[in-house]
Amino acid sequence: MDLPVVNHKDYFAKIGDDHKFPINKFGDLADYLIKEKIVKKFLKPYPCSVETLKKAHSEEYINNIKNKTLDEISVKKIGFPLVDSVVKRSFIATGGTVLASKLAINYGVACNTAGGSHHANYNGGAGYCVFNDVAVASHYLLDRGLAGKILIVDLDVHQGNGNSDIFKDNRNVFTFSMHSKSNYPAKKSISDCDVELENDLEDKEYLKILKFYLNQLNQENFDFVFYIAGVDIHFNDRLGKLKVSDEGIQKRDEIVTENFFSKGIPLCGVLGGGYNKDTKKLVELHSYLHQSCAKLV
């Protein structure tokens, strides 16, 4: 069996060549996965419906994105220009994670080549996140009885504050965020389990802490896992403050995916953040998620 991976050409958006966000990585990653024979072909998502989005976001906010009527301050908070391609990308990438989550149930594991927009909350977006795809997909699975107790494992260097905000009163979703202590967002929300890491943490200690908490999470009876595999923990990342190596990230992804797959718990992997100074390296780092999942199937 081949690993089911979701991708769409519209994951790329026209945000300007001089923008700080490395938007080209989505197309480059898709090309890399095919070239390296990690993936043979992609599954194509549809745009997420307003009805599905409404479970995680206010209808007013969704319509303001759809109609490009969001106020200037809110647009600035997101960090992307609110142009047609960004709007299209936001709906399509969220639909991609919904599709990947359904594929994970059918095949045990599946990935999106985007997703992990964990700073968006019910009323708005932030930090390059328009819609919170993992929150939307979690509600989708719960509402249809496809999952009963969901775990979100967020290993991006930044706290997944949007997920913890959206699910703060929902006992069917457990949010685990292991992130840099002194990084964005300045004001952290309260996750079900927050692990704040000191700056300059390297592979050995990082993986030791991760294994400890995975053992704790294994005591619970989760029946679905979303894995936000941010690579901004890398030592050469522009927005990260940790010192994890290439090998450390590769090992991390193998540990997480194997841990849940071996227990028969469906896992949906999404990209998360990555702002490496070297674009080719960034794509390689993101591909470790898909490589680790492909080995399982």
Side-chain angles (χ1 to χ4, degrees):
M1 189 190 97
D2 296 323
L3 173 70
V5 179
V6 178
N7 174 263
H8 197 286
K9 64 180 178 60
D10 289 332
Y11 286 177
F12 170 82
K14 297 175 182 177
I15 60 174
D17 294 337
D18 58 345
H19 200 284
K20 288 188 292 185
F21 187 88
I23 196 77
N24 289 326
K25 71 179 182 179
F26 298 107
D28 292 346
L29 174 61
D31 292 343
Y32 182 87
L33 293 174
I34 294 291
K35 179 187 171 187
E36 296 297 321
K37 297 182 171 55
I38 299 162
V39 178
K40 289 183 180 177
K41 63 178 181 177
F42 296 111
L43 293 128
K44 189 176 177 182
Y46 291 102
C48 191
S49 71
V50 172
E51 283 302 309
T52 298
L53 283 165
K54 276 165 57 178
K55 297 295 183 177
H57 297 290
S58 73
E59 192 166 7
E60 180 184 10
Y61 174 62
I62 297 165
N63 287 331
N64 277 330
I65 293 296
K66 186 178 180 181
N67 301 322
K68 296 181 294 182
T69 52
L70 195 66
D71 65 272
E72 191 176 329
I73 293 173
S74 298
V75 172
K76 189 175 181 180
K77 188 177 178 184
I78 291 171
F80 290 140
L82 198 55
V83 295
D84 288 342
S85 61
V86 168
V87 172
K88 184 183 284 188
R89 180 190 185 279
S90 302
F91 281 87
I92 278 274
T94 306
T97 297
V98 173
L99 174 57
S101 70
K102 292 190 288 183
L103 290 166
I105 288 173
N106 289 336
Y107 297 100
V109 62
C111 294
N112 196 357
T113 58
S117 298
H118 60 171
H119 298 309
N121 62 26
Y122 184 76
N123 290 309
Y128 305 136
C129 303
V130 180
F131 296 134
N132 192 319
D133 58 294
V134 168
V136 171
S138 294
H139 276 296
Y140 182 93
L141 297 181
L142 291 170
D143 290 348
R144 286 160 180 74
L146 298 173
K149 191 174 182 183
I150 294 173
L151 168 65
I152 299 173
V153 174
D154 191 339
L155 299 185
D156 192 286
V157 82
H158 306 104
Q159 191 208 32
N161 59 316
N163 285 320
S164 53
D165 283 346
I166 289 170
F167 293 116
K168 62 184 177 183
D169 297 319
N170 190 323
R171 292 300 89 200
N172 295 315
V173 179
F174 189 95
T175 56
F176 170 75
S177 182
M178 183 167 143
H179 53 267
S180 173
K181 185 177 182 179
S182 56
N183 210 323
Y184 181 91
K187 184 180 180 182
K188 307 290 191 290
S189 59
I190 301 173
S191 296
D192 292 309
C193 184
D194 265 315
V195 182
E196 297 199 315
L197 306 172
E198 298 297 334
N199 291 348
D200 299 335
L201 197 68
E202 297 182 357
D203 292 12
K204 187 176 180 181
E205 192 61 26
Y206 179 89
L207 294 173
K208 180 181 177 182
I209 294 169
L210 173 61
K211 288 176 183 177
F212 173 82
Y213 281 98
L214 282 177
N215 285 333
Q216 301 298 307
L217 294 169
N218 287 339
Q219 307 308 312
E220 304 296 328
N221 295 315
F222 298 111
D223 57 16
F224 195 92
V225 177
F226 285 99
Y227 174 36
I228 302 176
V231 299
D232 39 13
I233 62 170
H234 191 261
F235 70 88
N236 203 33
D237 197 90
R238 291 188 292 112
L239 301 184
K241 296 183 178 180
L242 303 182
K243 299 297 179 187
V244 181
S245 71
D246 298 21
E247 294 76 15
I249 290 175
Q250 189 170 30
K251 186 66 176 173
R252 176 201 70 173
D253 288 350
E254 290 172 353
I255 289 169
V256 172
T257 54
E258 167 65 24
N259 178 74
F260 295 107
F261 187 81
S262 66
K263 295 171 177 57
I265 304 171
L267 181 142
C268 175
V270 295
L271 233 58
Y275 313 90
N276 203 281
K277 297 163 188 172
D278 180 341
T279 305
K280 287 184 178 179
K281 176 58 66 177
L282 175 58
V283 167
E284 182 186 337
L285 294 172
H286 276 309
S287 78
Y288 291 157
L289 165 66
H290 307 84
Q291 290 184 51
S292 65
C293 290
K295 288 177 184 175
L296 300 173
V297 298

